[in-house]
Amino acid sequence: MDVSLDGPEKWLSTLNDKFHPDLTLKGLSFDRSNNEYLGLSAEPSDFTVFMPSDSLKIRNQQSTYPSATQQAFKDVIEKGLARKDNDAILIDIATLAPEMQYFLPGGDESVIKSLAKILENLKGKKVVIRLLVGDDKLSPNKDVVDNRWDFPENYEKSLKKRYEEIFWSTDFKHDPKSSPKYTPIFDHPNVTLYVGLSKLDIRLHNLLESNMLRWINSVNDENIKDVKTFLNRIIKISLDTTAGTALTLFTKKLNVDDLVNQVIVNKAPSITWNHGKVLAVNGTTLMTGGINYWDLYANNGPHDICDHSVKVQGDAAVSAHRWADYFWKYETLNNAPNMSLNTGSRYLEALKPKATDNSSFWRKADLSKPPAWAHQGTIPDSLAFKKRVTEKKFETLTVARLGDWSGAMQSIRYPVQVIDAIRDIILNVAWQYFQPTGEGFHFVQDKAFMALAGYPFNGYLSDDYLSSDDMKYFQGLGINPMAWASRSARTQVITSATRSVVICQQMLVDWLQNDDRQYKVVVKKLNNDYLTGDKAWTGSIWPFDLLIALAHALTNMSRSSTPNSDANNQDFQKDLKGIYIVLTTNNINGNHNGWDDRTTIWEIKKRLRIIMNILPYNYGGVSTDKIDNLVSNLVHFKRTGTSSDAKGHDLYSHSKIVCVDGKLMYVGSDNAYPSYNEEHGVWIEDPKQINNWLEDFFTPYWKACKTPNDLEEPKKA
């Protein structure tokens, strides 16, 4: 099976084309593009932006101002604004939250003043800057206690600090008893800043109690009587489209009504927001990956976060604008809370909950004047920027995660990522029920289940992949599983691997929600009722799609005659064979709580062995007697080590990299561990560039990382 962009593109297109045109996500959640360069020049290593090159001493990466990512940000802006064939200028920025120390320091060389200086020479053009924020720590949900709104004063103060101090000049030494004086940085008569918060208010209790009512009332279905029944139906669909007698026995014991009641009563937390990190300029240049525009990534270090982004010059930038359009269209259609900012009286109206998304909203301001925020008119789109690169020299496949706001559903507060989360929870509860051998977990072989998950079935496509009943469920709920195209493409490419898989991630198992009070109550209820004794579940979400894909990849490798590569060899990338995974430190007492990994590697390998035993031979399985040796010899792990400076501080991985067979490479924001955010990234097909990355970055990175202390299962006393 050849590894190329044709594989994931065909996979995504085939599934997408089965749906009504109103639900199509082609060009939004996935899109193939031609480009002039990977990077901004013909330099082979120019496409990669890596942090922290100073702490690991991996390779010479120029950092003239004053970190690699800040310099890359400026370069992408400058190169993109050199395009002169459009009457308007569009700059799309997406991040979790911008922070001042990333944009401000450096005087005239700072990121924000460099942008302003370039625009001074483009005064004849209308300039639009769209800043999409995923979690600016200012969301109404952060300030809600039992439905009481305890601001506006703190909210307004934070809003000013975050955006006004980045995009306007101010005297930081002003009298704290008076308002600071803001003056424009941009000497341009027509520059408009749009700020949009895309932290989707899909807390499940809100979903059940209010937000879904509008959708349910619009559905002509006598079987849907109330919101609880609707969620019950979703869960039953997840179960009914899977096969296996053992699973049927399990689902009969699982009281879905009771589980739904627990979610309502205990107010399960919000699970989704924009997580994409994108800079797209004029449909010409793009930077995307794992690097947020945070203080953590500013200055020359020492840095303790290992992260990646990629630069592209070409039509991948147009694809990124279209991805951003999708969110801005939602912001326009969403009935946001009635907020207005009167900067003269320093007063922000209290937010008033409505039966829609209470967290997402947008504002605009003229950057040529002192800050005055408004919420009228329409938000410009990117349709004036067309694809224009005809030569298939450097191809990319943009893949993303989106909410589902298409067609007739586009004005309804309907979070499709909830379906992805429900399925993962059911899978993890089922695994605990059948563990430790996985006996009865054979429903992972079922094609309908694979379709629901958006998984490739050993790269297999056929007309009956989605049955008429499956289609009825999806169409009836307004769901296109390509809403999680990023996740689906990753499993398809890994499944196709015949030689090597390289993964650089923070972790593979999601434990981050385990400390949430409401989530703990739901997990405790499941354990008390269904998962007693040794079957008790911690609440961690395991990526069974990834484990299945890795099992297929290992099987393919076992049939290859290429000798196994030596992971300790300096040049092992030249004959790379096997699975190489770098995860973050498992030191929970380090500098960044929540950036560590609390899953043991021996348990990952143990579950991988079980999955390989489950897969039937004719679908990629290998005989049981070979599995242990295969996993031991071909699956290699390392963890980020310590910095090379005298302090030797812990390093943390925030990268989201997948590289397969040295032919395809993903760089983006989508984590390999299960998560349900909105994401953006690109698959690159260029063996020469990828080999340069393997040689210049991954080989020394692998050597700089440390052998984990959790490779072997502790012996029982």
Side-chain angles (χ1 to χ4, degrees):
M1 188 181 302
D2 185 41
V3 174
S4 71
L5 289 181
D6 293 341
E9 183 189 33
K10 181 181 178 182
W11 166 254
L12 298 173
S13 295
T14 299
L15 285 182
N16 181 77
D17 291 348
K18 290 179 177 289
F19 290 87
H20 189 278
D22 280 351
L23 289 177
T24 186
L25 290 174
K26 190 170 186 177
L28 296 172
S29 68
F30 66 100
D31 191 33
R32 191 164 176 172
S33 303
N34 300 322
N35 302 280
E36 288 107 345
Y37 297 112
L38 296 180
L40 305 180
S41 69
E43 171 62 35
S45 298
D46 183 47
F47 78 99
T48 309
V49 181
F50 171 67
M51 296 288 290
S53 55
D54 57 329
S55 294
L56 286 178
K57 307 297 183 187
I58 285 178
R59 65 184 174 100
N60 293 325
Q61 181 169 253
Q62 294 299 317
S63 178
T64 54
Y65 168 71
S67 72
T69 173
Q70 288 170 296
Q71 184 61 49
F73 193 104
K74 291 171 59 174
D75 292 343
V76 170
I77 290 283
E78 183 177 4
K79 193 77 171 183
L81 292 180
R83 180 178 175 180
K84 303 291 179 62
D85 58 343
N86 278 76
D87 294 333
I89 292 172
L90 176 62
I91 300 172
D92 269 315
I93 305 171
T95 184
L96 270 178
E99 293 185 345
M100 290 185 292
Q101 293 304 310
Y102 187 93
F103 289 90
L104 295 182
D108 290 342
E109 296 300 316
S110 69
V111 170
I112 198 68
K113 288 195 174 181
S114 295
L115 171 59
K117 185 176 181 180
I118 296 173
L119 291 179
E120 284 182 17
N121 299 319
L122 300 170
K123 292 183 178 179
K125 296 178 181 291
K126 177 182 178 181
V127 181
V128 170
I129 301 173
R130 303 190 300 186
L131 173 58
L132 182 68
V133 178
D135 182 8
D136 65 357
K137 308 287 191 299
L138 311 178
S139 166
N141 284 331
K142 292 285 185 182
D143 298 278
V144 176
V145 180
D146 297 329
N147 292 323
R148 289 184 289 107
W149 307 84
D150 60 3
F151 56 109
E153 288 80 6
N154 290 339
Y155 191 90
E156 182 203 3
K157 181 179 179 181
S158 296
L159 184 73
K160 282 178 174 291
K161 181 178 180 63
R162 179 61 53 79
Y163 303 111
E164 296 182 3
E165 290 188 353
I166 290 176
F167 289 95
W168 284 268
S169 178
T170 185
D171 178 8
F172 286 94
K173 298 180 181 180
H174 67 269
D175 182 349
K177 296 181 180 180
S178 63
S179 299
K181 182 180 180 180
Y182 293 98
T183 57
I185 293 175
F186 291 82
D187 182 16
H188 189 292
N190 197 351
V191 184
T192 306
L193 170 67
Y194 294 80
V195 176
L197 175 62
S198 182
K199 185 173 184 180
L200 285 60
D201 182 10
I202 65 164
R203 291 171 180 264
L204 293 186
H205 61 283
N206 290 340
L207 172 73
L208 296 170
E209 295 169 343
S210 61
N211 294 350
M212 290 304 295
L213 286 173
R214 293 176 58 213
W215 184 82
I216 290 172
N217 291 336
S218 70
V219 175
N220 184 20
D221 189 338
E222 293 299 323
N223 294 322
I224 298 180
K225 301 297 182 183
D226 56 32
V227 183
K228 191 181 76 171
T229 302
F230 172 77
L231 186 60
N232 196 339
R233 173 178 167 182
I234 292 176
I235 295 176
K236 285 187 177 297
I237 290 169
S238 302
L239 300 174
D240 293 343
T241 57
T242 60
T245 303
L247 181 65
T248 302
L249 293 174
F250 163 70
T251 57
K252 286 182 178 179
K253 293 186 67 175
L254 180 63
N255 187 326
V256 178
D257 286 340
D258 185 53
L259 181 59
V260 171
N261 280 327
Q262 287 298 315
V263 171
I264 296 174
V265 170
N266 292 294
K267 299 182 182 297
S270 179
I271 61 171
T272 193
W273 49 85
N274 169 58
H275 189 247
K277 302 94 166 58
V278 172
L279 171 63
V281 183
N282 262 5
T284 303
T285 54
L286 167 69
M287 182 164 67
T288 187
I291 296 176
N292 284 293
Y293 308 130
W294 286 352
D295 297 354
L296 277 172
Y297 297 99
N299 306 318
N300 277 322
H303 299 101
D304 53 8
I305 306 298
C306 301
D307 215 335
H308 271 84
S309 285
V310 64
K311 297 177 292 184
V312 181
Q313 181 175 332
D315 289 342
V318 178
S319 300
H321 286 314
R322 299 291 188 270
W323 173 83
D325 282 348
Y326 203 57
F327 290 91
W328 288 104
K329 185 175 183 180
Y330 168 70
E331 294 282 3
T332 302
L333 292 168
N334 179 48
N335 290 324
N338 182 22
M339 291 174 54
S340 63
L341 177 64
N342 185 328
T343 56
S345 62
R346 303 181 68 238
Y347 179 76
L348 182 69
E349 292 183 26
L351 299 180
K352 300 175 182 179
K354 294 186 177 182
T356 54
D357 179 356
N358 292 322
S359 290
S360 301
F361 66 91
W362 69 273
R363 295 292 177 269
K364 69 177 181 180
D366 185 344
L367 291 181
S368 68
K369 301 175 181 178
W373 298 95
H375 184 202
Q376 294 87 30
T378 59
I379 303 170
D381 59 37
S382 70
L383 297 182
F385 295 90
K386 309 293 184 182
K387 290 186 175 182
R388 58 196 180 94
V389 182
T390 57
E391 184 181 0
K392 294 184 177 181
K393 188 175 181 181
F394 298 106
E395 290 190 278
T396 56
L397 178 67
T398 296
V399 288
R401 281 177 175 269
L402 298 167
D404 204 358
W405 312 308
S406 295
M409 299 290 291
Q410 64 187 4
S411 63
I412 306 299
R413 176 64 263 131
Y414 181 69
V416 71
Q417 299 295 339
V418 167
I419 308 302
D420 204 20
I422 289 172
R423 185 200 59 251
D424 276 342
I425 290 175
I426 291 171
L427 275 175
N428 279 267
V429 171
W431 177 275
Q432 291 301 120
Y433 184 80
F434 294 124
Q435 65 96 27
T437 64
E439 185 63 32
F441 202 65
H442 293 273
F443 61 87
V444 297
Q445 303 166 24
D446 182 64
K447 286 193 294 184
F449 164 75
M450 291 290 191
L452 178 66
Y455 303 162
F457 193 60
N458 196 24
Y460 177 68
L461 291 169
S462 69
D463 290 339
D464 65 348
Y465 190 88
L466 281 177
S467 68
S468 58
D469 285 341
D470 299 328
M471 290 298 298
K472 178 181 68 176
Y473 289 135
F474 282 116
Q475 300 276 24
L477 295 174
I479 298 171
N480 182 341
M482 292 306 94
W484 43 86
S486 179
R487 183 175 185 175
S488 185
R490 179 172 57 232
T491 55
Q492 192 281 332
V493 176
I494 293 176
T495 296
S496 304
T498 60
R499 183 181 175 86
S500 65
V501 177
V502 170
I503 296 176
C504 301
Q505 294 281 330
Q506 179 180 349
M507 54 195 177
L508 299 184
V509 181
D510 181 14
W511 59 266
L512 295 172
Q513 72 289 326
N514 291 4
D515 294 331
D516 182 87
R517 179 175 59 84
Q518 293 91 347
Y519 187 73
K520 281 182 177 180
V521 174
V522 175
V523 171
K524 182 178 180 180
K525 175 68 176 176
L526 286 169
N527 285 337
N528 289 341
D529 291 353
Y530 312 111
L531 303 172
T532 58
D534 293 340
K535 295 182 178 181
W537 181 40
T538 64
S540 295
I541 307 294
W542 283 73
F544 288 103
D545 58 334
L546 179 63
L547 292 175
I548 293 168
L550 290 174
H552 283 299
L554 275 176
T555 302
N556 296 337
M557 293 174 197
S558 72
R559 296 167 180 166
S560 169
S561 59
T562 305
N564 295 348
S565 54
D566 180 2
N568 295 313
N569 188 305
Q570 175 67 34
D571 298 321
F572 79 99
Q573 84 283 346
K574 294 181 179 178
D575 59 348
L576 195 64
K577 180 181 177 182
I579 296 173
Y580 296 84
I581 301 176
V582 178
L583 302 177
T584 197
T585 178
N586 59 349
N587 178 16
I588 63 174
N589 298 314
N591 295 331
H592 299 287
N593 184 34
W595 291 61
D596 52 279
D597 181 16
R598 302 185 185 180
T599 304
T600 56
I601 289 174
W602 65 261
E603 189 173 2
I604 296 173
K605 298 178 82 168
K606 180 178 180 179
R607 292 200 183 200
L608 181 57
R609 290 185 179 99
I610 295 174
I611 291 289
M612 293 193 72
N613 273 291
I614 292 172
L615 291 176
Y617 183 79
N618 59 325
Y619 286 121
V622 297
S623 57
T624 301
D625 60 320
K626 296 180 180 179
I627 290 174
D628 282 347
N629 285 337
L630 200 59
V631 174
S632 297
N633 294 331
L634 291 182
V635 182
H636 311 282
F637 282 88
K638 281 201 172 184
R639 291 194 182 277
T640 50
T642 54
S643 63
S644 58
D645 60 27
K647 294 182 179 179
H649 53 277
D650 284 309
L651 296 176
Y652 298 80
S653 175
H654 191 250
S655 300
K656 299 94 169 58
I657 299 281
V658 178
C659 180
V660 175
D661 285 357
K663 297 179 180 179
L664 287 185
M665 179 176 171
Y666 170 82
V667 185
S669 66
D670 198 5
N671 291 293
Y673 67 80
S675 59
Y676 313 100
N677 297 321
E678 281 60 52
E679 311 283 4
H680 181 277
V682 293
W683 281 95
I684 296 165
E685 181 178 6
D686 189 281
K688 181 178 179 181
Q689 297 271 33
I690 292 172
N691 184 69
N692 286 331
W693 178 84
L694 287 168
E695 184 172 355
D696 292 347
F697 167 74
F698 182 71
T699 299
Y701 183 53
W702 179 266
K703 290 178 71 65
C705 291
K706 66 181 180 181
T707 301
N709 59 7
D710 56 347
L711 284 172
E712 302 297 330
E713 182 175 2
K715 294 181 180 180
K716 295 183 179 179

